Amino acid sequence: MDIGKIDENLRVSREFHKPDAVYRDCREEPFSVHGLQWEDGFYRVPHEVAKETSEGVEILAKHTAGGRIRFRTDSSYVVLSCQMPSITRFPHMPLFGTTGFDLYADGLFFGTFCMPVELKSGYDAVLELGESKLRDIEIGFPLYNMVTSVKIGLEESAQLLPPKQYAVEKPVVYYGSSITQGGCVSRPGLSYPSLISTALNIDYINLGFSGSAKGETAMAEFIAGLDQSLFVMDYDHNAPSVEHLEQTHEPFFRIVREKNPHLPVLFVSMPDIRYNPIAPGKREVIRKTYENAKKAGDNKVWFIDGETLWGEEHWDACTMDKCHPNDLGHFRMAQVIGTMVKEILFDK
């Protein structure tokens, strides 16, 4: 049954006719792509680094979590034309989240480009912006899918200008698990790194790797080489044991710190501490790394206890499966972590 025939608010039309649209590759100026690099497709980590790290990272580095296209235009519509070699489908995460592209106009969510339910590769979709006026546009990439091509279609007569600058020149780098990558929000803009970026108008790089962020030396050395404003270290969920975290957490931090003596570093422990029996032990490992740094005179480190991330009221409503936060869980994480990010970057 087509529910759209019963409730017009659930009716979705994918038909559009834009004969005056001019299509441009998003990698061409004046478009600006953030959070991704190009190697015959969009990637979060160079092939060689990903391959050296682990098989999981080698696969997930191709997922475009945290990628954004930014520009300014007075076009009354934006068409998205994308190509994907395959489609990721989860039973506990909407297709919009794994495979969708969000559009923000002037810092506010406008809509998600609607793909067909039977999607098998790429698709074309349009969002009607309304009256022709200059807007700052940001399009967020899928969280759990590979993308090999994105073209943006705008009115032939429309202006196309470079985007405004972010409030902070260098990006915030997040390293963590599937939660950091965005599992399991309903659309890309609702992952906690994205929510923080939108609220504070800051750039970021999402290095969340589902089940595959285990504190490897190759990843630490790669992150240490990034030009960044803040490093958020949030990978304890993927450590297979407390002992593994003990062996990797402080050494990982030291690799980053040695190359970046003045870089602010924020340690975060896992949020599902009420469900996970080894979470308290992992939290103490992270706290020890933080305290050892402070004892050594490092005043550029901060720590957030994961137990505070979902709050006290209705904390059990924040997860899909007692592990991955839903939209509410990510929102609450963004509130807590974002407050600290703001303090570190702006409240000096």
Side-chain angles (χ1 to χ4, degrees), residues 212-276:
S212 303
K214 298 181 179 179
E216 296 92 343
T217 299
M219 184 56 63
E221 291 174 345
F222 170 69
I223 290 173
L226 295 174
D227 193 15
Q228 56 195 295
S229 63
L230 167 66
F231 175 43
V232 181
M233 193 169 166
D234 179 27
Y235 80 90
D236 59 326
H237 226 303
N238 286 168
S241 66
V242 173
E243 292 72 23
H244 178 95
L245 194 64
E246 286 178 329
Q247 294 167 5
T248 61
H249 195 268
E250 192 160 349
F252 193 107
F253 164 66
R254 287 178 176 172
I255 290 172
V256 175
R257 173 56 80 227
E258 183 176 352
K259 195 165 184 179
N260 303 272
H262 305 296
L263 174 69
V265 177
L266 173 57
F267 303 110
V268 183
S269 64
M270 55 205 293
D272 58 333
I273 192 166
R274 294 177 175 93
Y275 293 119
N276 193 316

Side-chain angles (χ1 to χ4, degrees), residues 53 87 111 113 186 189 207 233 236 295 313 325 339:
T53 303
I87 301 302
F113 290 95
S186 60
L207 298 180
M233 193 169 166
D236 59 326
K295 289 176 184 177
E313 187 175 3
T339 296

Side-chain angles (χ1 to χ4, degrees), residues 61-230:
K62 301 173 185 177
H63 289 190
T64 56
R68 283 145 288 133
I69 304 164
R70 304 180 76 235
F71 58 98
R72 303 187 80 199
T73 186
D74 59 358
S75 180
S76 65
Y77 63 80
V78 176
V79 180
L80 178 108
S81 179
C82 64
Q83 291 298 317
M84 307 172 178
S86 60
I87 301 302
T88 301
R89 298 179 188 274
F90 293 146
H92 58 341
M93 188 171 177
L95 193 60
F96 265 14
T98 62
T99 311
F101 289 80
D102 279 350
L103 186 146
Y104 283 72
D106 295 328
L108 296 175
F109 173 66
F110 188 87
T112 303
F113 290 95
C114 191
M115 73 285 289
V117 174
E118 66 278 6
L119 179 67
K120 295 181 180 179
S121 55
Y123 62 95
D124 294 350
V126 65
L127 284 172
E128 300 282 355
L129 301 181
E131 65 174 305
S132 295
K133 66 176 184 177
L134 204 58
R135 298 176 175 90
D136 291 288
I137 303 296
E138 181 170 286
I139 298 174
F141 276 74
L143 297 171
Y144 276 91
N145 222 87
M146 295 179 283
V147 179
T148 55
S149 173
V150 178
K151 292 184 178 180
I152 303 296
L154 304 172
E155 286 178 287
E156 184 176 8
S157 60
Q159 298 182 73
L160 175 59
L161 304 170
K164 287 184 177 179
Q165 296 297 309
Y166 280 116
V168 176
E169 180 182 359
K170 300 176 183 179
V172 175
V173 175
Y174 296 87
Y175 174 60
S177 65
S178 54
I179 295 175
T180 308
Q181 186 170 341
C184 286
V185 294
S186 60
R187 56 178 180 81
L190 295 179
S191 70
Y192 88 78
S194 180
L195 287 168
I196 294 171
S197 173
T198 302
L200 300 180
N201 186 31
I202 55 176
D203 196 4
Y204 74 101
I205 298 173
N206 187 324
L207 298 180
F209 303 104
S210 284
S212 303
K214 298 181 179 179
E216 296 92 343
T217 299
M219 184 56 63
E221 291 174 345
F222 170 69
I223 290 173
L226 295 174
D227 193 15
Q228 56 195 295
S229 63
L230 167 66

Side-chain angles (χ1 to χ4, degrees), residues 321-333:
D321 51 11
K322 296 184 179 181
C323 174
H324 299 96
N326 53 24
D327 293 351
L328 176 61
H330 273 270
F331 176 74
R332 289 188 174 179
M333 290 180 70

